[in-house]
Amino acid sequence: MKNIVILASGSGSNAENIIGYFRKKNILHQFHIITNKKDAFVLERAKKLGVTAEIITKKQNDEGVLEKRLLELNPDLIVLAGYLLLFPAGIVQQFPNKIINIHPALLPKYGGKGMYGSFVHEAVVANNETETGISIHYVSELYDEGAVIFQAKTSVAENDTPDDVAQKVHQLEYEHFPKVIEKLLSD
Ligand code: GAR
């Protein structure tokens, strides 16, 4: 059994999918969810799943609360699944190669500050890209710049809207993110 902390800022559909994946396989990892938003829907999902969850705001991050809490929890893996704050540099140094993030594009394209969620898909459509995808990478002190662990692609059709692209990308995320986590935990 491993101890996994998932951080999410919004809906949390990836968080739910990851937890569901391991439960379906009867792999009894311990999950804990942290969000920076008091009204994040991921809190509802945690309740429904019977998973512990807590709120640690951006201000508290700046005061070192997140770092202290993560050291207490001592996770085997920290998973950023739609967590939209820059991860505090101090924490990155405390957990070398134990923090991963999923980004909804083929990094290094469409990464960096301000490039998240629907903004990424809008930019992909505006630039007439013919393909996009997902990147799972280690977290470094800079937005979306840590070493890439895994990428998968999907096509973008000429008449796809940003919502269509978002749906395709989410499907890739649901398919691959849990498997990449499983592999990392077994290495
Ligand atoms: C996901 O598509 C994830 O790749 C993206 O936010 C979405 C969260 O969805 N993350 C980023 O943009 C990080 N830069 P979810 O809350 O339904 O899992």
Side-chain angles (χ1 to χ4, degrees):
M1 189 184 85
K2 302 282 186 182
N3 180 3
I4 302 161
V5 173
I6 303 180
L7 288 104
S9 298
S11 164
S13 71
N14 274 286
E16 179 166 357
N17 179 61
I18 292 162
I19 294 163
Y21 174 88
F22 288 103
R23 286 190 175 170
K24 226 177 274 164
K25 294 184 87 173
N26 276 326
I27 302 174
L28 301 176
H29 293 323
Q30 173 89 30
F31 288 97
H32 181 70
I33 291 176
I34 297 177
T35 184
N36 57 306
K37 293 276 182 197
K38 292 187 173 68
D39 57 354
F41 189 67
V42 71
L43 292 169
E44 301 300 319
R45 294 188 196 264
K47 217 180 283 169
K48 191 183 79 183
L49 292 162
V51 168
T52 53
E54 68 187 293
I55 302 157
I56 301 180
T57 62
K58 177 168 184 325
K59 183 167 174 279
Q60 289 176 304
N61 279 8
D62 298 341
E63 293 162 356
V65 175
L66 182 60
E67 180 170 352
K68 190 164 160 266
R69 188 68 181 117
L70 286 172
L71 287 169
E72 259 166 31
L73 290 164
N74 192 25
D76 296 292
L77 194 65
I78 298 168
V79 177
L80 312 193
Y83 186 70
L84 303 179
L85 297 180
L86 182 63
F87 218 60
I91 306 181
V92 176
Q93 284 150 22
Q94 303 264 12
F95 294 92
N97 289 336
K98 279 195 179 173
I99 314 172
I100 63 169
N101 177 49
I102 191 158
H103 187 74
L106 295 170
L107 291 172
K109 284 180 126 179
Y110 302 105
K113 194 166 161 53
M115 270 293 160
Y116 58 87
S118 58
F119 296 113
V120 174
H121 309 309
E122 280 160 20
V124 163
V125 168
N127 288 337
N128 298 313
E129 298 282 1
T130 55
E131 63 177 22
T132 186
I134 61 167
S135 302
I136 298 167
H137 64 94
Y138 287 109
V139 170
S140 71
E141 284 92 340
L142 300 169
Y143 272 110
D144 304 325
E145 292 210 4
V148 170
I149 303 164
F150 176 88
Q151 289 186 308
K153 290 179 183 173
T154 184
S155 60
V156 180
E158 221 178 296
N159 54 355
D160 273 352
T161 64
D163 276 353
D164 295 330
V165 175
Q167 262 188 36
K168 290 180 182 180
V169 166
H170 260 125
Q171 284 316 312
L172 284 182
E173 294 184 330
Y174 300 152
E175 185 186 345
H176 295 289
F177 204 11
K179 290 182 188 158
V180 170
I181 292 169
E182 188 175 30
K183 169 91 178 50
L184 288 173
L185 290 171
S186 71
D187 282 349

